[in-house]
């Protein structure tokens, strides 16, 4: 088999590209779908829980799936520069793919409110980083205004190519499982990803989908790769301090430790509602404590380190399992959207302190013996 060359090559028959499209790729996608071995038993659940570890994409988050296509299409259209607002991961992906394409990237981030790893990525890839004295929603408004007036392509998920790229995660899951799972759970911030997942599942069953931005459900790609016989119930989880889908309206001052989903005015509002309604799913919320304890639980019981926002998917699932809202014996897939290394400060702050010890065998052996 030829070596894997990224999701545009893999799914080109289901994406809006032609043979002459200049593909900008870092070989994103094809992420592991890992079955949890200890958690289901610990939770008294008799079904299967699998995590789609999107943190193993090239820049450490699912954003690479959308960014490969958005930057590819921007390059194809002759753009020389891209711009986005971001809570961190979009800026990291935009910066990396712009570097790959030889383009300039501008990223607007909320000052002091993005995780350190993401900031390091944007800076290292040479983005022009603008720290604004406002939140993501302010940044989103500003980049829409600026990209309307200046020659910079907007690569936030209001750009339909982003969701087109991101829908491929559902194709991979359907291929790995042989069909769609019973439930799909994921964190919701700007709400593009839940919309894209749903779009991918719909296309896998030959359903038309409102989230298909380039064709409004009319294009020949629809149903082309259909392999699934059903679509999952979609469950979207939010952080309690940043939960517009639970409040039924935008939240003016969103706050959460899960900074990636610190978003009060989601752009894909109607698409996300459609995904949840059409699938028979729901939105629910988790506290910051629940998010952090689930992040640690996953890291310690399964060996999988995701960032706090990503742990929101399992934190919400655990609550819904305990509340009896999930059918027994179900197969559940949770998207882990970003890698834990993105946010080392939050990880270290909630972990046990390290042990300062002399470089001598005696005290080290004594310490080890305490844990045996
Ligand atoms: C790890 O980077 O919005 O609901 O600007 O980084 O599709 O927005 C990040 C979002 C979940 C929410 N998990 O996804 C950004 C940004 C992680 C994220 C989400 C984000 P959407």
């Amino acid at each position: 088999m030829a070596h894997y060359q990224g999701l545009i090559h893999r799914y080109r028959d289901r994406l809006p590209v032609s043979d002459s499209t200049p593909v900008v790729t870092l070989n994103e996608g094809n992420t592991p779908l890992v079955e949890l071995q200890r958690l289901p038993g610990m939770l008294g659940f008799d079904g299967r829980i699998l995590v789609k570890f999107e943190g193993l994409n090239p820049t450490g988050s699912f954003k690479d799936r959308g960014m490969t296509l958005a930057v590819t299409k921007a390059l194809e259209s002759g753009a020389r520069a891209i711009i986005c607002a971001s809570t961190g991961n979009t800026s990291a992906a935009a910066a990396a793919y712009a570097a790959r394409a030889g383009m300039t990237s501008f990223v607007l981030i909320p000052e002091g409110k993005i995780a350190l790893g993401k900031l390091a990525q944007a800076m290292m890839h040479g983005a022009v980083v603008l720290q604004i004295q406002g939140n993501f929603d302010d940044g989103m408004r500003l980049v829409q205004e600026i990209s309307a007036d200046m020659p910079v392509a907007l690569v936030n998920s209001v750009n339909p190519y982003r969701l087109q790229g991101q829908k491929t995660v559902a194709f991979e899951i359907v291929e790995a499982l042989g069909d769609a799972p019973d439930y799909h759970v994921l964190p919701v911030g700007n709400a593009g990803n839940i919309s894209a997942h749903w779009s991918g599942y719909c296309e896998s069953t030959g359903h038309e989908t409102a989230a298909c931005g380039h064709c409004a459900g009319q294009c020949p790609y629809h149903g082309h790769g259909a392999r699934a016989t059903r679509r999952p119930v979609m469950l979207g989880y939010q952080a309690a301090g940043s939960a517009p889908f639970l409040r039924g309206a935008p939240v003016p001052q969103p706050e959460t430790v899960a900074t990636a989903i610190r978003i009060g005015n989601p752009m894909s509002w109607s698409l996300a509602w459609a995904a949840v309604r059409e699938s028979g799913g729901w939105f629910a919320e988790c506290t910051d404590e629940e998010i952090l304890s689930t992040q640690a639980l996953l890291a310690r019981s399964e060996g999988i380190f995701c960032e706090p926002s990503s742990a929101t998917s399992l934190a919400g699932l655990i609550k819904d399992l305990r509340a009896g809202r999930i059918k027994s014996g179900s197969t559940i897939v949770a998207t882990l959207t970003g890698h834990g290394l993105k946010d080392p400060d939050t990880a270290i702050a909630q972990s046990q302190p390290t042990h300062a010890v002399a470089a001598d065998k005696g005290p080290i052996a004594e310490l080890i013996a305490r844990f045996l």
Side-chain angles (χ1 to χ4, degrees), residues 26-302:
L26 290 164
N27 296 15
E28 57 296 308
N30 197 24
T31 54
L33 182 66
V34 184
E35 180 150 10
L36 300 189
Q37 293 182 335
R38 302 176 63 204
L39 264 183
M42 288 163 71
L43 298 167
F45 177 58
D46 62 352
R48 303 172 70 196
I49 305 176
L50 303 100
V51 295
K52 183 69 169 160
F53 196 9
E54 290 287 280
L56 293 183
N57 273 298
T59 78
S61 88
F62 74 95
K63 301 290 182 182
D64 295 342
R65 287 185 190 273
M67 207 54 76
T68 181
L69 192 61
V71 174
T72 289
K73 296 301 282 187
L75 188 67
E76 185 176 47
S77 75
R80 307 278 307 276
I82 61 172
I83 191 168
C84 66
S86 180
T87 56
N89 280 325
T90 300
S91 72
Y97 283 82
R100 186 81 167 161
M103 297 166 93
T104 304
S105 61
F106 300 94
V107 304
L108 270 70
I109 55 175
E111 188 172 35
K113 291 288 187 179
I114 83 166
L116 210 58
K118 305 171 188 181
L119 182 63
Q121 289 177 290
M123 294 171 73
M124 196 67 191
H125 289 301
V128 179
V129 180
L130 296 106
Q131 300 226 38
I132 62 164
Q133 283 147 29
N135 60 27
F136 171 84
D137 305 298
D138 299 317
M140 193 62 235
R141 179 176 45 78
L142 289 162
V143 294
Q144 284 179 298
E145 288 174 15
I146 288 163
S147 62
D149 290 348
M150 299 180 80
V152 285
L154 183 59
V155 295
N156 280 106
S157 57
V158 291
N159 175 333
Y161 298 123
R162 281 278 311 279
L163 300 197
Q164 287 290 305
Q166 285 173 215
K167 75 183 179 185
T168 58
V169 67
F171 299 163
E172 291 177 14
I173 293 164
V174 166
E175 280 163 26
L177 296 177
D179 208 333
D182 298 304
Y183 296 86
H184 193 114
V185 306
L186 73 172
V188 174
N190 212 21
N193 210 24
I194 191 171
S195 309
H197 276 69
W198 183 238
S199 172
Y201 282 123
C202 290
E203 290 186 29
S204 297
T205 49
H207 282 80
E208 288 188 357
T209 155
C212 182
H214 71 287
C215 75
Q218 300 303 310
C219 74
Y221 310 116
H222 274 101
H224 184 85
R227 286 184 180 84
T229 63
R230 59 179 183 205
R231 296 178 291 178
V233 173
M234 302 296 297
L235 308 183
Y237 297 122
Q238 298 216 275
S242 181
F245 286 98
L246 281 300
R247 311 291 166 257
V251 171
Q253 301 292 341
E255 271 312 335
T256 169
V257 69
T259 51
I261 52 173
R262 186 172 168 272
I263 296 173
N265 186 17
M267 289 293 112
S268 296
W269 180 260
S270 338
L271 289 177
W273 272 116
V276 162
R277 285 211 186 99
E278 288 169 23
S279 73
W282 57 85
F283 292 107
E285 62 192 289
C286 308
T287 64
D288 281 1
E289 293 71 35
E290 289 164 341
I291 291 169
L292 292 179
S293 65
T294 305
Q295 183 196 17
L297 180 69
L298 184 68
R300 283 158 208 180
S301 61
E302 300 281 358

